[in-house]
Amino acid sequence: MSDVHTIAELHRLYRSKSASPVEVTKACLERIASQDRELRAFVLVTPERALDDARQAEADFVAGIDRGPMQGIPYCLKDIVETAGIRTTGQSRLLAKHVPASDATVAARLKAGGGILLGKNTTWEFAHGGPSWDVFAPPARNPWNLAHHPAGSSSGSAAAVAAGLAPATIGTDTGGSIRLPAAACGIAGLKPTYGRVSRKGVLPNCFSHDHAGPLAWTSQDCAMIMAVIAGHDPGDPGSSPAPVQDYQAALDGTCLGLTIGVPWSWLDQAGTTAPTRRAFEVALDVLRGIGATIVPVTLPTLEAYSDSKKTIAMSELFSIHERDLRTRPELFGASLRYRIQCGALIRAEDYVQAMRMRAELAAATQRVFATVDAIVTPTGEPAGKLEPQPHSWLFTQKSMTTPFNSAGNPAHSICMGFAGNGMPFALQIAARLFDDATALRIGDAYEKATPWRAKRPALEGVPADPVG
Amino acid sequence: MNDRLDVSRTEVAVLVKAAGLEPSQSQFDEIVEAYGYLRAMTARLQSGFGYGSEPAHVFVPERT
């Protein structure tokens, strides 16, 4: 895969006139054509739009117009991000023919920044129900082992980047849906601070916990995407006017001066396996070696964050889909329908108490962040087999990603090495509110101190689907 | 720690009707199973907050 480049590499190649956006785009489209039948990372490829965007980017470079770090960079969008004139389905039969009239803000900013839209990525149904075989399109596969899942819900987004089909993508994250696919696919994925990146035009999952953010091969690439998509949007009521950091300037290749907290009890509560724990401890040694001080911290239990978030999320999810659930329930996949139905049974009192609990959990989290610059954990376990999950998994799974949706802090996942079966381990790095740059800085420094970014998946063998 | 509480199918049927849903038999069975988890989860939600403990979604008029 020697012709696969990162965003940073393409940035340099374009400005030294050593590469052409049109030729780079054609190479991406060729890789998609040859590999995506098996990978299923895309529900829609937009070759005409891509080549139009590429020709415009090339013409702009020739004319001396430089729109910024995403000019000439091919990207894709999770298929819950609305695109003007381009079908956006949410991977649901309910929206099989939905063509938005306008771009989501994040899509508009990438277009204005000279990016090249390759297509729309496979997702779980409405970014919540999955993996599903009874919806608009089948689920994506993991490039490291096509019999394994790429997690969700930004499943196709992460698979596309890991396989080298696109250097950049936008996903969304309500409880882990950028970080877990990034982890499963061995790439970088940032859930920004809540309100840092606009949600306008992104189909909602849970208004109060949804985030849009970048996935890419490296933390530096995520920083370059953030330079274009971050910033206040008056069209998003949750959008923050806080000043945007210079994410790329923060990447100094070290963790010097940083104190990083580890909530060791979370690893026990999440049932972290011995191999993941060992990989995490090795990662902590790497962080110490590049200048970080590691200290233990104590945070509320994972169960408390989970109970608050799930009560709120299921209520909001039901409010979003209640009319369709009552009038045309047969159009939902079974996984999402189960989750929406749960929301119908939650009392208003429970929702408010969950919101009061959220306020207290968020305050407790920020009190800990007052003592450290960042908090790290494993993102989760290496990805398992791609197969239907029991519905009760919604309630029984333990997550170290959800707390940072509850509290709103930025949280970034990067590759932390590989398990014995070749599947990636991943490290989650959370930082203070609106200090997304520190999370990216730690990720970048760790990546440059380790060999993991040199290894790409081989994409071999196509397994039979577990569901016929 | 109980991840799921036993629930009454009759109670669930009342809640489902009140919500305006008309599930199939298998879907109703799913809802009964889910409700057991839901009851356990909401029972764990913190209570006994003071009068000053405001929820995270307090209305901020200048945002409108």
Side-chain angles (χ1 to χ4, degrees), chain A residues 150-155 158-159 176-187 215:
Chain A
S153 59
S154 306
S155 44
S177 292
I178 285 175
R179 290 160 288 163
L180 292 168
C185 294
I187 66 170
L215 296 94

PDB file of all heavy atoms in Angstrom, chain A residues 150-155 158-159 176-187 215:
ATOM      1  N   PRO A 150     -15.637  -3.682  12.977  1.00  0.00           N
ATOM      2  CA  PRO A 150     -14.894  -2.434  13.161  1.00  0.00           C
ATOM      3  C   PRO A 150     -15.498  -1.577  14.262  1.00  0.00           C
ATOM      4  O   PRO A 150     -15.265  -0.376  14.305  1.00  0.00           O
ATOM      5  CB  PRO A 150     -15.052  -1.754  11.795  1.00  0.00           C
ATOM      6  CG  PRO A 150     -16.390  -2.196  11.317  1.00  0.00           C
ATOM      7  CD  PRO A 150     -16.662  -3.540  11.918  1.00  0.00           C
ATOM      8  N   ALA A 151     -16.318  -2.177  15.137  1.00  0.00           N
ATOM      9  CA  ALA A 151     -17.066  -1.465  16.181  1.00  0.00           C
ATOM     10  C   ALA A 151     -18.031  -0.454  15.533  1.00  0.00           C
ATOM     11  O   ALA A 151     -18.257  -0.470  14.340  1.00  0.00           O
ATOM     12  CB  ALA A 151     -16.134  -0.800  17.194  1.00  0.00           C
ATOM     13  N   GLY A 152     -18.624   0.389  16.326  1.00  0.00           N
ATOM     14  CA  GLY A 152     -19.589   1.346  15.792  1.00  0.00           C
ATOM     15  C   GLY A 152     -19.813   2.490  16.782  1.00  0.00           C
ATOM     16  O   GLY A 152     -19.319   2.437  17.908  1.00  0.00           O
ATOM     17  N   SER A 153     -20.511   3.446  16.297  1.00  0.00           N
ATOM     18  CA  SER A 153     -21.292   3.390  15.085  1.00  0.00           C
ATOM     19  C   SER A 153     -20.585   3.972  13.857  1.00  0.00           C
ATOM     20  O   SER A 153     -21.134   3.848  12.753  1.00  0.00           O
ATOM     21  CB  SER A 153     -22.612   4.126  15.296  1.00  0.00           C
ATOM     22  OG  SER A 153     -22.376   5.456  15.653  1.00  0.00           O
ATOM     23  N   SER A 154     -19.414   4.619  14.031  1.00  0.00           N
ATOM     24  CA  SER A 154     -18.697   5.180  12.867  1.00  0.00           C
ATOM     25  C   SER A 154     -17.870   4.071  12.218  1.00  0.00           C
ATOM     26  O   SER A 154     -16.659   4.225  11.974  1.00  0.00           O
ATOM     27  CB  SER A 154     -17.803   6.353  13.273  1.00  0.00           C
ATOM     28  OG  SER A 154     -18.539   7.336  13.964  1.00  0.00           O
ATOM     29  N   SER A 155     -18.524   2.943  11.942  1.00  0.00           N
ATOM     30  CA  SER A 155     -17.831   1.718  11.540  1.00  0.00           C
ATOM     31  C   SER A 155     -17.163   1.851  10.173  1.00  0.00           C
ATOM     32  O   SER A 155     -15.968   1.570  10.021  1.00  0.00           O
ATOM     33  CB  SER A 155     -18.818   0.552  11.540  1.00  0.00           C
ATOM     34  OG  SER A 155     -20.041   0.930  10.944  1.00  0.00           O
ATOM     35  N   ALA A 158     -14.144   4.427  10.080  1.00  0.00           N
ATOM     36  CA  ALA A 158     -12.858   3.924  10.576  1.00  0.00           C
ATOM     37  C   ALA A 158     -12.269   2.891   9.627  1.00  0.00           C
ATOM     38  O   ALA A 158     -11.054   2.883   9.368  1.00  0.00           O
ATOM     39  CB  ALA A 158     -13.044   3.318  11.969  1.00  0.00           C
ATOM     40  N   ALA A 159     -13.108   2.011   9.096  1.00  0.00           N
ATOM     41  CA  ALA A 159     -12.622   0.981   8.176  1.00  0.00           C
ATOM     42  C   ALA A 159     -12.007   1.608   6.931  1.00  0.00           C
ATOM     43  O   ALA A 159     -10.966   1.164   6.438  1.00  0.00           O
ATOM     44  CB  ALA A 159     -13.769   0.039   7.799  1.00  0.00           C
ATOM     45  N   GLY A 176     -19.121   6.720  22.465  1.00  0.00           N
ATOM     46  CA  GLY A 176     -17.857   6.089  22.074  1.00  0.00           C
ATOM     47  C   GLY A 176     -17.757   5.827  20.593  1.00  0.00           C
ATOM     48  O   GLY A 176     -16.803   5.191  20.137  1.00  0.00           O
ATOM     49  N   SER A 177     -18.671   6.339  19.796  1.00  0.00           N
ATOM     50  CA  SER A 177     -18.815   5.916  18.405  1.00  0.00           C
ATOM     51  C   SER A 177     -17.799   6.459  17.420  1.00  0.00           C
ATOM     52  O   SER A 177     -17.828   6.053  16.265  1.00  0.00           O
ATOM     53  CB  SER A 177     -20.227   6.247  17.903  1.00  0.00           C
ATOM     54  OG  SER A 177     -21.168   5.440  18.572  1.00  0.00           O
ATOM     55  N   ILE A 178     -16.916   7.358  17.847  1.00  0.00           N
ATOM     56  CA  ILE A 178     -15.702   7.672  17.070  1.00  0.00           C
ATOM     57  C   ILE A 178     -14.573   6.841  17.654  1.00  0.00           C
ATOM     58  O   ILE A 178     -13.801   6.188  16.927  1.00  0.00           O
ATOM     59  CB  ILE A 178     -15.347   9.171  17.155  1.00  0.00           C
ATOM     60  CG1 ILE A 178     -16.293  10.012  16.288  1.00  0.00           C
ATOM     61  CG2 ILE A 178     -13.894   9.418  16.736  1.00  0.00           C
ATOM     62  CD1 ILE A 178     -16.087  11.526  16.418  1.00  0.00           C
ATOM     63  N   ARG A 179     -14.421   6.853  18.962  1.00  0.00           N
ATOM     64  CA  ARG A 179     -13.256   6.250  19.609  1.00  0.00           C
ATOM     65  C   ARG A 179     -13.225   4.724  19.480  1.00  0.00           C
ATOM     66  O   ARG A 179     -12.172   4.139  19.254  1.00  0.00           O
ATOM     67  CB  ARG A 179     -13.197   6.675  21.074  1.00  0.00           C
ATOM     68  CG  ARG A 179     -12.854   8.165  21.245  1.00  0.00           C
ATOM     69  CD  ARG A 179     -13.275   8.673  22.601  1.00  0.00           C
ATOM     70  NE  ARG A 179     -14.719   8.774  22.681  1.00  0.00           N
ATOM     71  CZ  ARG A 179     -15.408   8.869  23.816  1.00  0.00           C
ATOM     72  NH1 ARG A 179     -14.769   8.856  24.979  1.00  0.00           N
ATOM     73  NH2 ARG A 179     -16.729   8.965  23.800  1.00  0.00           N
ATOM     74  N   LEU A 180     -14.361   4.070  19.650  1.00  0.00           N
ATOM     75  CA  LEU A 180     -14.358   2.609  19.583  1.00  0.00           C
ATOM     76  C   LEU A 180     -14.056   2.106  18.173  1.00  0.00           C
ATOM     77  O   LEU A 180     -13.260   1.168  18.016  1.00  0.00           O
ATOM     78  CB  LEU A 180     -15.674   2.057  20.140  1.00  0.00           C
ATOM     79  CG  LEU A 180     -15.820   2.289  21.654  1.00  0.00           C
ATOM     80  CD1 LEU A 180     -17.247   1.991  22.121  1.00  0.00           C
ATOM     81  CD2 LEU A 180     -14.837   1.443  22.441  1.00  0.00           C
ATOM     82  N   PRO A 181     -14.650   2.654  17.113  1.00  0.00           N
ATOM     83  CA  PRO A 181     -14.220   2.232  15.769  1.00  0.00           C
ATOM     84  C   PRO A 181     -12.767   2.589  15.475  1.00  0.00           C
ATOM     85  O   PRO A 181     -12.058   1.806  14.833  1.00  0.00           O
ATOM     86  CB  PRO A 181     -15.174   3.004  14.840  1.00  0.00           C
ATOM     87  CG  PRO A 181     -16.388   3.266  15.655  1.00  0.00           C
ATOM     88  CD  PRO A 181     -15.874   3.497  17.047  1.00  0.00           C
ATOM     89  N   ALA A 182     -12.322   3.772  15.932  1.00  0.00           N
ATOM     90  CA  ALA A 182     -10.902   4.111  15.742  1.00  0.00           C
ATOM     91  C   ALA A 182     -10.028   3.060  16.427  1.00  0.00           C
ATOM     92  O   ALA A 182      -9.027   2.597  15.872  1.00  0.00           O
ATOM     93  CB  ALA A 182     -10.615   5.495  16.306  1.00  0.00           C
ATOM     94  N   ALA A 183     -10.429   2.671  17.634  1.00  0.00           N
ATOM     95  CA  ALA A 183      -9.677   1.665  18.388  1.00  0.00           C
ATOM     96  C   ALA A 183      -9.685   0.323  17.660  1.00  0.00           C
ATOM     97  O   ALA A 183      -8.653  -0.331  17.503  1.00  0.00           O
ATOM     98  CB  ALA A 183     -10.283   1.510  19.779  1.00  0.00           C
ATOM     99  N   ALA A 184     -10.851  -0.095  17.212  1.00  0.00           N
ATOM    100  CA  ALA A 184     -10.987  -1.398  16.554  1.00  0.00           C
ATOM    101  C   ALA A 184     -10.174  -1.465  15.274  1.00  0.00           C
ATOM    102  O   ALA A 184      -9.682  -2.534  14.898  1.00  0.00           O
ATOM    103  CB  ALA A 184     -12.460  -1.672  16.249  1.00  0.00           C
ATOM    104  N   CYS A 185     -10.042  -0.329  14.598  1.00  0.00           N
ATOM    105  CA  CYS A 185      -9.372  -0.289  13.291  1.00  0.00           C
ATOM    106  C   CYS A 185      -7.949   0.247  13.373  1.00  0.00           C
ATOM    107  O   CYS A 185      -7.313   0.467  12.342  1.00  0.00           O
ATOM    108  CB  CYS A 185     -10.199   0.532  12.302  1.00  0.00           C
ATOM    109  SG  CYS A 185     -11.783  -0.241  11.910  1.00  0.00           S
ATOM    110  N   GLY A 186      -7.441   0.486  14.580  1.00  0.00           N
ATOM    111  CA  GLY A 186      -6.041   0.871  14.738  1.00  0.00           C
ATOM    112  C   GLY A 186      -5.694   2.239  14.189  1.00  0.00           C
ATOM    113  O   GLY A 186      -4.579   2.457  13.704  1.00  0.00           O
ATOM    114  N   ILE A 187      -6.624   3.184  14.262  1.00  0.00           N
ATOM    115  CA  ILE A 187      -6.373   4.532  13.751  1.00  0.00           C
ATOM    116  C   ILE A 187      -6.609   5.552  14.862  1.00  0.00           C
ATOM    117  O   ILE A 187      -6.847   5.184  16.009  1.00  0.00           O
ATOM    118  CB  ILE A 187      -7.247   4.855  12.521  1.00  0.00           C
ATOM    119  CG1 ILE A 187      -8.741   4.915  12.909  1.00  0.00           C
ATOM    120  CG2 ILE A 187      -7.025   3.824  11.418  1.00  0.00           C
ATOM    121  CD1 ILE A 187      -9.637   5.470  11.809  1.00  0.00           C
ATOM    122  N   LEU A 215     -11.684  11.269  12.164  1.00  0.00           N
ATOM    123  CA  LEU A 215     -10.922  10.028  12.232  1.00  0.00           C
ATOM    124  C   LEU A 215      -9.900  10.085  11.105  1.00  0.00           C
ATOM    125  O   LEU A 215     -10.212  10.526   9.999  1.00  0.00           O
ATOM    126  CB  LEU A 215     -11.806   8.790  12.051  1.00  0.00           C
ATOM    127  CG  LEU A 215     -12.860   8.524  13.107  1.00  0.00           C
ATOM    128  CD1 LEU A 215     -14.210   9.105  12.731  1.00  0.00           C
ATOM    129  CD2 LEU A 215     -13.007   7.013  13.340  1.00  0.00           C
TER     130      LEU A 215
END
